[in-house]
Amino acid sequence: MGVWWGPVVRVLVLQAAWALGGGQVRYSVPEEARAGTVVGRLAQDLGLEAGEPEARRLRLVAQGRRASVEVSGASGALVVSSRLDREELCGKSAPCALRLEVLVERPLRVFHVELEVTDINDNAPLFPAARKNLSIAELSTMPGSRFPLEGASDADIGANAQLSYTLSPSEHFTLDVKSSDENRKSLFLVLTKSLDRETMPVHRLVLTASDGGWPSLSGTVELVISVLDANDNAPQFNQSVYKVQLPESAAEKTLVVRVNATDPDEGLNMDFSYSIISSVPIRKRDLFTIDPKTGEVRLTGALDFEDARLHELQIEARDKGTPPLSGHCSVELEVVDVNDNAPEVWVTSLSVPVAEDASVGTVVALLSVSDRDSGANGRVCCAVWPAGPFGLVATFAGSYSLVLREALDRERVSEYEVEVRAEDGGAPPLRASRGVRVPVSDVNDNAPAFAQAVYTVLARENNAAGAELARLWARDPDEAGNGHVSYSVAEGGVGGASAGGGWRSASSYVSVDAESGRLWALQPLDYEELQVLQFEVRAVDAGEPPLCGNATVQLFVVDENDNAPALLPPAGGGPGPGASGEAAWVPGAGPGAGAWWAWAAWGAPAGQVVAKIRAVDADSGYNAWLRYELWEPRGKGPFRVGLYSGEVSTARALEEADGPRQRLVIVVRDHGEPARSATATLSVSLVEGGEAALAAAGSSSGSGSGLRASSGAEGGASSSSRNVWLVVAICAVSSLFLLAVVLYGASRWAPRAAVLSGPGPATLVCASEVGSWSYSQRQSRSLCVADGAGKSDLMVFSPNFPPPPGAAAKEMQPEPPALLDTVSGPPFLASRPFPLPALPARPLGSRWWESGSAAGACEAMPNMKGQQQRVFGTPCIWYIGVFFMVLSLLGRVCESRIEP
C-alpha cells in the first residue's frame, strides 16, 4: 500500500501546481484517505509567508454540507479531517470535485479551491442476489439457447467499475457477454449442449464478476440450473430494449411503458406473467411497478433528476409451463430535468458594521449561490434589492461579493436591510432570496448646529445670582460621543464706561451649563452699569476630531425702578443762599439732601419764578421721568411747583399777610412701578424788593459762588459778550460825564429849583418763553433775554424828570430811556438814599450775576416803593462827586462781571 501511495501524492502535487498556474487552486485526494493526510500546502500555494496563515486567519468555508477537509492553522496545509467516501459524496458522477472557499482576513480575500476525490477500488462487484435459480427444459431447449443473467454492479467508477465476468467450467454452459455501451453489459448463459435431466438434474455454476481495479475485487453469484421437461418455448418480447423519457415532475401512477411478449406454446405453457426482476440503481427498485397481465410499467413514487438521471429495469415474462420458461427485456428510463429546485443563497462571510466613511468598493459580505437543476434551469442570476448603495460583483462561478457602490450617510440611513435575490433560467423561473442586515457605524461628520444664529435674551436687572436666563440647544445628528454636545461661553464682553472703565468678559456675568445649555446669571445685573451684553456660545461635540458650532447671544438688561430721584445742588455748586430764581442749598448727608432756601419780594406778581428744584434719576424711560409735587403746604398756598420743570413760582401776588417765611416740602417722584421719590425742603423768605436784591448780592459775593444764568446759558460769557459790556461801560461813563457838563452849564443859566419826583407805576417786561420776567419802577425798566440767546441781561434806566406843568403825576410818561449796561448794578443801587454797600474786591472774571433756573427765568428786580429822588442844583462839586462815584461803581461792576 505504501508503494502505491507515493506516486499518487506526486501526481496530486503536480496537479495542484498546474491549477495555480491556471488561476485556481486544485488538489486531488484519493477517497478513504486517513484523517490528517496532507492534501496540499495551501498557504504556500496561495503565496502566504510563514506565520501569515495563522495571523491572517486562513480558514475554510463549508458550503451546504460538512466538509471532510480542514486547514491547519499553524502550517496552513489542507488536511483530511474525516473519512472521504467518493461514492457517498458523488455517487456515480465523475469526476467527483468539491468546491471549497478559503478566506484570508486583513485584507479580506477569498480563494476558490477545487478538491477532486479520486476513486479507489474499495467496492467489490455486487450481484442482486447471492443465488440465481434457472429452469431449463430438456430436449426442447436446443443448444445455443440463451438465458439472460442479471449482471453485477460496482459503486466505483472508471476502471474500478469496469467489470469482467467468468463462469465456472461446464460442458453444457458458457457465458456470453455483450456490451450495449461502455457502462452496461448484457450477460447471457448459453446452452452449448442439450441437457439430460436423468444424467444431471441440477447444474450448479458460479458466475464471478471482477472489476478493473488494482488489486482487483470480485463478486460471485451461484447459478442453480434445474433441468425441466418439455416446455421448450419461452415467451419472447417484441424488442429487447425499451427506451423511455419522463420529466421528473411526472405524477405517481404515470405510465412509463407497456412491454409486450408472446409465447408460441399452448395451454399453460403459453400463459405467462410479467415481473420486474432487477433495477439499477438497486435502491430505486420500489419506484416502479408492472401489471403482471398487461405489462404496463407505472410509477409508484416521484422521480428526481438530481438523484438519478437514468433508471434501468429488467422485465421478465414467465410462462406457466412445466417447467416454466421466461423471456427477458430491459427498460431504460431517462429522467428529464424540470425546474423544480429554487436557487440557494448562503452568506459565507459578513463584515459589519460598515463605517459611514467607507470607500466605494468596500466588500461587505461574501455570498454563494447554487441551483441543483441543470442547463438553463440551473443558471442563476443575482441582484440586490432595493437598488441602493450596495451592489453584487461576481468573483467566481456561484460566488458573489456584496460591495459598496455609493457613499453612506448614517444620519440619513442608519441601517440597511439588503435582500439578495436569485433567479434561475427555468420556465417559469424560480426565485430565492437572502436578507442581509448592514448597520452603518457613525463617524463625526456633523458639527453641532444651533436652532438660531442669534438669540435675543431679556433679563431684568437685579436678578438673583444663579437665575436661569435662557436655554440654548444645538443639534448634532451624530450618535454616541460624536453627538454629545457640550456648551461654553466662547467670547464677548463689555468695555468702556459700561464696565467701569475697563474690559470685562462675558464669562464674568453669565455662565452656560456644559450639558444642558442653560444660560445662568453669575451675578445680579445692573441696568445702570450694563445695558447690552453680546457674546458667543460655542457647542462642541465629543468626536475625534471634535467639531463645533457658534451662536451669538444678545443679552438686553431690562431696567427696573431701583433708583430713587436724587436732588442736585444749585448750578453754582456752593453752599449759601442763591440769587432770585435759584434756590440756595445747604449740604446734607446724602445726594440731594439738605435744606433749600430762597428769597421772594412782597408784592411779586403771580408766575414769578422763585427757585428751581433740580433732580436726576439713574433709571431710564418711565422709571427716570420725574414729576414735582408740592406736598406742603396743602391747599391754596402762595406758591406752586411746575409738574415736570421743578420751577417754584408764585401762585398769586405775595402779600405781607403771607408772613416773613414760607416752608415748602416738594416731593420728586418717578413714574416707575412702584414709584420712588425724594423730598426737598425749600424755605422762602419774604422780604422787600430792595432787601432781597441786596441780600442776594451780598450773599453771592460772600459765599464765593455767584448766581447762574438761565438753563440755556453756560458758566461764563463768551468773548463777544465781554466786548459788548466793555463798550457799554465806556459809553455809560462818557454819557454821565457829558450829562454832568451839560447840567453844570444849565445850572449857570437857569433858575435853581428843586424838583421832587415820585415813583411811577411799575412795569413788567417779559422776554422768556417759559415765563421769565423782570420788574422795574417808573424810572427804570429791565430787559430779560431768553435762554436760547445765551446773552447776559441788559437793564434800561430812565431818569426822573418833572412832569409838564398842569399834568398830574400819575399821567406822566417816561422819557426815552438811555441804554445802560447792567454792569452798573441793580437799579436800586442808584436810587436809594442809603449808602452803597462795600463791594469786596474780586478778580477779573468772577461771576456774581448767575441764575440757577434751568428754564432761564428772569430775576425779580426790586420794586422801589415810595422812593423819591432829588435833583440837586448847580454846585459843580456835586456833579463831579456824582460822576466819580458812578465811575467807581461801574469799574467795580465791570471788574466782577467781565471774565478773562
Side-chain angles (χ1 to χ4, degrees), residues 17-37:
W18 177 86
L20 285 175
Q24 176 184 1
V25 182
R26 293 185 180 180
Y27 294 105
S28 178
V29 61
E31 66 174 334
E32 303 299 336
R34 296 180 180 177
T37 301

Side-chain angles (χ1 to χ4, degrees), residues 176-256:
D176 185 16
V177 179
K178 290 185 178 182
S179 298
S180 58
D181 55 39
E182 61 181 7
N183 294 324
R184 295 191 305 275
K185 292 182 179 181
S186 298
L187 301 180
F188 296 92
L189 184 64
V190 181
L191 182 63
T192 60
K193 183 179 179 180
S194 298
L195 297 176
D196 187 3
R197 188 188 63 80
E198 290 73 23
T199 302
M200 186 180 290
V202 176
H203 295 266
R204 294 183 180 273
L205 303 176
V206 176
L207 178 61
T208 301
S210 300
D211 58 24
W214 190 88
S216 178
L217 300 178
S218 62
T220 61
V221 60
E222 183 183 11
L223 301 177
V224 179
I225 302 170
S226 300
V227 181
L228 302 177
D229 284 334
N231 184 16
D232 55 351
N233 288 293
Q236 296 292 323
F237 287 91
N238 58 354
Q239 60 186 79
S240 60
V241 178
Y242 293 84
K243 292 187 177 182
V244 183
Q245 287 184 339
L246 276 181
E248 61 175 328
S249 59
E252 189 177 350
K253 303 297 184 182
T254 299
L255 178 64
V256 178

Side-chain angles (χ1 to χ4, degrees), residues 625-702:
W625 186 19
L626 303 181
R627 58 184 178 184
Y628 301 82
E629 300 176 2
L630 185 61
W631 191 256
E632 292 180 4
R634 295 183 178 275
K636 296 182 179 181
F639 295 97
R640 64 186 175 188
V641 63
L643 181 62
Y644 297 111
S645 63
E647 292 180 348
V648 180
S649 60
T650 55
R652 54 180 173 78
L654 299 179
E655 301 175 355
E656 294 185 3
D658 294 327
R661 177 174 296 181
Q662 290 285 333
R663 180 178 179 273
L664 307 180
V665 177
I666 299 172
V667 177
V668 184
R669 299 180 186 274
D670 57 28
H671 285 74
E673 286 293 337
R676 294 178 177 268
S677 62
T679 303
T681 301
L682 176 64
S683 296
V684 181
S685 298
L686 303 180
V687 297
E688 292 187 2
E691 295 176 355
L694 180 61
S699 61
S700 299
S701 61

Side-chain angles (χ1 to χ4, degrees), residues 363-435:
V363 177
V364 178
L366 298 178
L367 306 167
S368 294
V369 180
S370 65
D371 195 319
R372 297 179 61 197
D373 295 323
S374 63
N377 297 330
R379 288 193 294 269
V380 181
C381 295
C382 292
V384 175
W385 187 91
F390 300 100
L392 284 179
V393 175
T395 58
F396 193 70
S399 297
Y400 294 88
S401 296
L402 183 65
V403 298
L404 188 63
R405 295 291 193 192
E406 302 173 3
L408 300 177
D409 186 0
R410 190 207 63 83
E411 288 69 39
R412 184 172 59 89
V413 181
S414 61
E415 183 176 278
Y416 291 89
E417 290 291 342
V418 179
E419 186 177 58
V420 180
R421 295 180 173 180
E423 179 180 297
D424 60 24
L430 298 180
R431 299 175 180 87
S433 63
R434 175 73 65 178

Side-chain angles (χ1 to χ4, degrees), residues 152-398:
S153 61
D154 196 329
D156 296 325
I157 61 173
N160 296 328
Q162 295 293 331
L163 301 181
S164 61
Y165 297 89
T166 59
L167 189 63
S168 60
S170 173
E171 61 177 342
H172 295 90
F173 297 94
T174 185
L175 186 64
D176 185 16
V177 179
K178 290 185 178 182
S179 298
S180 58
D181 55 39
E182 61 181 7
N183 294 324
R184 295 191 305 275
K185 292 182 179 181
S186 298
L187 301 180
F188 296 92
L189 184 64
V190 181
L191 182 63
T192 60
K193 183 179 179 180
S194 298
L195 297 176
D196 187 3
R197 188 188 63 80
E198 290 73 23
T199 302
M200 186 180 290
V202 176
H203 295 266
R204 294 183 180 273
L205 303 176
V206 176
L207 178 61
T208 301
S210 300
D211 58 24
W214 190 88
S216 178
L217 300 178
S218 62
T220 61
V221 60
E222 183 183 11
L223 301 177
V224 179
I225 302 170
S226 300
V227 181
L228 302 177
D229 284 334
N231 184 16
D232 55 351
N233 288 293
Q236 296 292 323
F237 287 91
N238 58 354
Q239 60 186 79
S240 60
V241 178
Y242 293 84
K243 292 187 177 182
V244 183
Q245 287 184 339
L246 276 181
E248 61 175 328
S249 59
E252 189 177 350
K253 303 297 184 182
T254 299
L255 178 64
V256 178
V257 68
R258 179 180 289 175
V259 297
N260 184 30
T262 60
D263 194 331
D265 294 328
E266 294 180 356
L268 293 177
N269 291 332
M270 63 172 297
D271 188 10
F272 59 88
S273 61
Y274 300 96
S275 64
I276 300 175
I277 60 174
S278 67
S279 173
V280 178
I282 299 175
R283 65 183 185 278
K284 296 296 183 180
R285 184 171 182 174
D286 296 335
L287 189 60
F288 304 93
T289 184
I290 188 171
D291 190 307
K293 298 297 183 181
T294 62
E296 291 180 350
V297 180
R298 294 184 180 273
L299 293 177
T300 59
L303 299 175
D304 190 356
F305 174 83
E306 290 72 35
D307 189 19
R309 303 184 180 185
L310 182 66
H311 295 269
E312 184 177 354
L313 305 177
Q314 292 293 331
I315 308 298
E316 180 184 61
R318 181 181 292 272
D319 61 22
K320 298 179 180 179
T322 302
L325 299 178
S326 61
H328 302 82
C329 72
S330 63
V331 177
E332 294 179 1
L333 174 60
E334 181 182 356
V335 181
V336 179
D337 183 41
V338 296
N339 193 24
D340 60 340
N341 289 282
E344 295 180 340
V345 182
W346 296 285
V347 179
T348 58
S349 179
L350 184 61
S351 179
V352 292
V354 180
E356 63 177 322
D357 60 348
S359 60
V360 175
T362 300
V363 177
V364 178
L366 298 178
L367 306 167
S368 294
V369 180
S370 65
D371 195 319
R372 297 179 61 197
D373 295 323
S374 63
N377 297 330
R379 288 193 294 269
V380 181
C381 295
C382 292
V384 175
W385 187 91
F390 300 100
L392 284 179
V393 175
T395 58
F396 193 70

Side-chain angles (χ1 to χ4, degrees), residues 825-875:
F828 75 93
L829 294 178
S831 59
R832 289 184 63 85
F834 51 81
L836 293 175
L839 297 178
R842 292 178 57 84
L844 186 63
S846 62
R847 299 171 296 178
W848 63 282
W849 185 265
E850 292 181 335
S851 173
S853 173
C858 295
E859 304 298 335
M861 301 305 298
N863 185 14
M864 307 299 292
K865 292 184 177 180
Q867 297 294 331
Q868 292 183 350
Q869 293 183 350
R870 182 180 300 273
V871 179
F872 294 93
T874 58

Side-chain angles (χ1 to χ4, degrees), residues 543-820:
E544 184 60 37
L547 301 178
C548 65
N550 296 328
T552 301
V553 178
Q554 293 179 344
L555 178 62
F556 292 89
V557 181
V558 180
D559 182 49
E560 293 284 334
N561 192 25
D562 58 342
N563 291 280
L567 298 173
L568 298 179
S580 61
E582 178 69 60
W585 174 67
V586 177
W596 299 71
W597 55 285
W599 295 271
W602 284 326
Q608 178 179 349
V609 176
V610 175
K612 180 177 177 63
I613 304 301
R614 297 190 305 159
V616 295
D617 195 316
D619 295 322
S620 65
Y622 275 87
N623 298 330
W625 186 19
L626 303 181
R627 58 184 178 184
Y628 301 82
E629 300 176 2
L630 185 61
W631 191 256
E632 292 180 4
R634 295 183 178 275
K636 296 182 179 181
F639 295 97
R640 64 186 175 188
V641 63
L643 181 62
Y644 297 111
S645 63
E647 292 180 348
V648 180
S649 60
T650 55
R652 54 180 173 78
L654 299 179
E655 301 175 355
E656 294 185 3
D658 294 327
R661 177 174 296 181
Q662 290 285 333
R663 180 178 179 273
L664 307 180
V665 177
I666 299 172
V667 177
V668 184
R669 299 180 186 274
D670 57 28
H671 285 74
E673 286 293 337
R676 294 178 177 268
S677 62
T679 303
T681 301
L682 176 64
S683 296
V684 181
S685 298
L686 303 180
V687 297
E688 292 187 2
E691 295 176 355
L694 180 61
S699 61
S700 299
S701 61
S703 63
S705 69
L707 298 177
R708 287 192 178 272
S710 60
S711 62
E714 298 295 329
S718 62
S719 60
S720 60
S721 299
R722 292 195 298 268
N723 295 334
V724 171
W725 282 109
L726 287 174
V727 172
V728 170
I730 294 173
C731 292
V733 172
S734 300
S735 299
L736 289 176
F737 178 75
L738 291 176
L739 180 62
V741 172
V742 171
L743 290 177
Y744 177 76
S747 63
R748 302 281 297 182
W749 299 100
R752 297 184 179 181
V755 180
L756 297 177
S757 62
T763 303
L764 178 65
V765 181
C766 294
S768 173
E769 294 179 357
V770 293
S772 300
W773 57 274
S774 63
Y775 188 84
S776 68
Q777 289 182 300
R778 162 72 174 164
Q779 67 275 8
S780 65
R781 296 178 180 176
S782 176
L783 175 64
C784 295
V785 183
D787 296 347
K791 303 294 184 178
S792 300
D793 296 339
L794 298 178
M795 306 299 290
V796 179
F797 295 90
S798 297
N800 285 332
F801 290 100
K810 62 181 180 180
E811 297 178 355
M812 292 179 60
Q813 297 295 331
E815 294 295 331
L819 182 63
L820 298 178

